[in-house]
Amino acid sequence: MQSTLTGGADAVVLTGWQQAREAYRSKDLRQAMYDEGAVIMEDCLLVLHGEAHRRRRRVENRLFRRETFAHWERRVLGNTLEAVLAPYVAAGRADLRALGYRAAISLTATIAGVDHDPANVAHTSRLEGFVRTFSAGATLAHSTRDPEEVRREVREQLQAFRAGMLGESLDRRRELLARLAAGQISEEDLPRDVATLLLRHQEALDISAAVIEREICFYLQAGAHSTADTYTHALDELFSRAAAHPTDLERAATDLGFAQRCVHESLRLNPASPVAWREPLRTVSLRDGTVLPEGSRVVIDLATVNRDPEVWGPDAGVFNPDRRVPEGANPWGLSFGAGAHACIGAELDGGMEVLDGEIPDDDHLYGTVAVMVTATLAAGGRPDPHNPPVQDPNTKRPHFSSYPIVFPEPQEQP
C-alpha cells in the first residue's frame, strides 16, 4: 500500500463535485483511509462498514444530539476556553497549534469520557502527548516517518494511557453504571460521553474492552486533531484576508455568526484531510460513466472537489466568508463527508448551518471552532510578526506544525 495523498499510480481519482457526492453515498464503497492506522483505528466507528457500522452508529447517535451539543458548547466549552486561554494571554504569546490542541483536547476528553481538568496544565500536557501519538498512528497513510516506528510508539502510549488516565476513567464509569442498576443514582447522574455509552451497550454491540478503548482514543484524536487544525486554518485565512479587509478581524471577534461563516469557508478550502479513500466492494459505475473497479483504490480529492468552479464559481479558490452558498451545497463543501460516514460531530465543530437570509435565533449553535476563533481574536491574538508559521514536515497533509501569535499587554486599570 502506497502512503501518498493520491493513493498510488493505479488509483481512480475523483475531482468533480457530483462524482464525489455520489461516491460518498455509495453503499458499495468502504472506508479505506485508515487501513494502515489499524493499530489505533481497528474496529472504530469510522472504519466499520455495513450492518456493523449501522449498529454502532445508532448507539452513538444517542449521544451526538443537538441538545448534547448545546450542553458542550454553552456550558463546557466556555469554562474550558477560559482556563486554557488565560496563561497564554498573560504570557503575551502562544502557538495556535498548541493552543487549539489544548482547548480541543479538554473538550474532546469530556466527549470521549476521559476525566480531565483543563486548569491542570501537567495533566493536559500528558493527555496532549497521548493524543498526538494516536493522531500520528491514525493518519499513518500520509506520514513521512517510518511506519513501524510510529506503530511502536502508538502501542507504548496506548499501554501507558490504559494504565493511567483511561483505566481510572473507565473504572469510575463502571461504578456509576453499577450504582444506576442498583437504583442508587438516576440517569441524570451519568456522564454524557462515549465511554459511558459504550460500556452500557457493550453486550448488545458485542464489542471487547479493547474496542471500547480504541473508540475512545479515536474520538480523542479525531476531535482534537481536526478541531485544532480547523481552528488554525480559519485564523490563518482571516489573518491573510485582513490585509484587504482589516475590519474582518474585529467582526469575527464580536460576531459569532460571521466567525462561523469564516470557519465554514475555511473548512471548504482546508478540509482536515485533503482526500478521502474508498475501496469498492464490487465494481461501481458512476452516473457520468466513471468506472470504479472492485478492490481498487478510489481517491476523493476533496481539495479539488471543494473548489469546483462549476459549483462555487470562478473565485472558488478564494477565501470569502460572505460567499453565497450554491443551491444544494453546504458552506463547508464536502469536508464533513456525506452519506453513512458523514462526520457524526459535524454540528459540534461547525455548528448549525444558517441559510441565506436567515437570522440565527437564541438557540443557534455556532460550533466549537467559531467560539474558539472569536475568543482568540477578542483577546487580541494576532500573528507574531517575527516568527512566521511552519508547515508540518511529518505529514503530506497541509498542516501547520507551529503558528506563533502574540497577545497585547494588559492595560493597567486607572
Side-chain angles (χ1 to χ4, degrees):
M1 182 178 296
Q2 298 194 35
S3 297
T4 65
L5 286 175
T6 55
D10 298 330
V12 180
V13 182
L14 306 181
T15 58
W17 179 264
Q18 295 303 330
Q19 286 180 323
R21 288 183 56 165
E22 191 176 349
Y24 267 129
R25 287 175 166 80
S26 174
K27 297 179 180 179
D28 294 311
L29 299 181
R30 78 164 186 90
Q31 171 70 263
M33 175 70 78
Y34 301 99
D35 291 354
E36 289 193 37
V39 64
I40 196 70
M41 296 296 289
E42 184 181 3
D43 293 331
C44 289
L45 175 70
L46 189 60
V47 302
L48 294 178
H49 188 78
E51 181 58 26
H53 177 265
R54 283 190 289 273
R55 290 178 64 217
R56 183 86 61 83
R57 180 99 182 201
R58 277 199 298 268
V59 169
E60 295 187 10
N61 276 341
R62 301 176 190 183
L63 176 66
F64 288 85
R65 293 175 174 171
R66 190 161 290 174
E67 59 268 26
T68 310
F69 291 162
H71 169 78
W72 286 332
E73 180 175 317
R74 293 172 184 154
R75 299 183 61 182
V76 177
L77 183 58
N79 293 334
T80 297
L81 280 177
E82 184 177 350
V84 170
L85 263 176
Y88 291 107
V89 174
R93 61 183 60 253
D95 187 290
L96 280 183
R97 283 292 296 170
L99 177 55
Y101 237 95
R102 189 142 294 189
I105 281 173
S106 295
L107 178 63
T108 54
T110 300
I111 296 167
V114 178
D115 295 327
H116 171 63
D117 177 5
N120 187 329
V121 175
H123 193 274
T124 303
S125 297
R126 183 74 171 127
L127 182 58
E128 183 177 343
F130 287 133
V131 174
R132 286 186 183 276
T133 302
F134 300 155
S135 294
T139 58
L140 194 54
H142 295 153
S143 177
T144 59
R145 298 176 58 202
D146 175 50
E148 287 309 315
E149 181 182 357
V150 175
R151 292 187 181 103
R152 177 182 55 77
E153 290 176 359
V154 171
R155 293 188 188 99
E156 290 175 353
Q157 289 290 75
L158 182 56
Q159 183 177 356
F161 185 48
R162 181 187 298 122
M165 294 183 196
L166 181 56
E168 293 169 0
S169 298
L170 290 175
D171 286 346
R172 175 173 171 264
R173 281 152 182 77
R174 291 189 182 100
E175 180 185 354
L176 287 171
L177 288 170
R179 292 179 63 193
L180 177 71
Q184 298 172 356
I185 61 174
S186 66
E187 292 278 349
E188 289 70 28
D189 297 314
L190 292 178
R192 303 183 190 185
D193 56 46
V194 172
T196 303
L197 193 71
L198 292 183
L199 287 171
R200 192 171 189 180
H201 297 277
Q202 182 174 1
E203 185 175 345
L205 289 172
D206 191 24
I207 54 177
S208 66
V211 171
I212 291 176
E213 291 171 355
R214 286 195 296 271
E215 188 86 321
I216 292 168
C217 292
F218 155 63
Y219 274 104
L220 269 176
Q221 67 85 16
H225 185 82
S226 61
T227 300
D229 192 61
T230 301
Y231 162 77
T232 305
H233 275 296
L235 281 167
D236 176 62
E237 293 283 9
L238 267 166
F239 291 149
S240 299
R241 180 177 164 86
H245 302 82
T247 61
D248 278 3
L249 294 181
E250 183 61 28
R251 287 177 69 192
T254 57
D255 182 350
L256 265 174
F258 178 68
Q260 184 185 27
R261 294 201 301 276
C262 291
V263 170
H264 289 170
E265 178 73 343
S266 179
L267 269 167
R268 181 180 69 83
L269 296 173
N270 307 284
S273 175
V275 293
W277 291 358
R278 295 292 188 269
E279 178 189 340
L281 300 177
R282 68 174 183 84
T283 297
V284 174
S285 295
L286 301 182
R287 291 189 183 93
D288 68 354
T290 301
V291 176
L292 312 178
E294 180 180 351
S296 65
R297 166 67 49 75
V298 176
V299 176
I300 302 173
D301 184 354
L302 276 177
T304 300
V305 167
N306 280 351
R307 300 171 186 234
D308 189 337
E310 292 187 9
V311 177
W312 300 95
D315 67 339
V318 176
F319 176 76
N320 176 14
D322 294 317
R323 179 185 303 279
R324 190 173 184 83
V325 180
E327 185 72 25
N330 297 115
W332 51 82
L334 289 173
S335 293
F336 285 128
H341 277 282
C343 178
I344 196 171
E347 280 196 353
L348 176 63
D349 247 13
M352 296 159 55
E353 183 179 359
V354 180
L355 301 178
D356 286 334
E358 282 190 341
I359 298 176
D361 57 27
D362 293 340
D363 294 327
H364 182 76
L365 298 179
Y366 294 94
T368 301
V369 183
V371 175
M372 290 168 59
V373 165
T374 293
T376 304
L377 292 175
R382 298 295 185 268
D384 185 335
H386 305 296
N387 295 291
V390 178
Q391 290 290 323
D392 189 346
N394 292 319
T395 179
K396 294 171 184 173
R397 297 185 178 196
H399 296 319
F400 293 106
S401 61
S402 69
Y403 201 117
I405 64 169
V406 293
F407 294 99
E409 293 184 10
Q411 297 294 315
E412 291 186 8
Q413 296 296 322

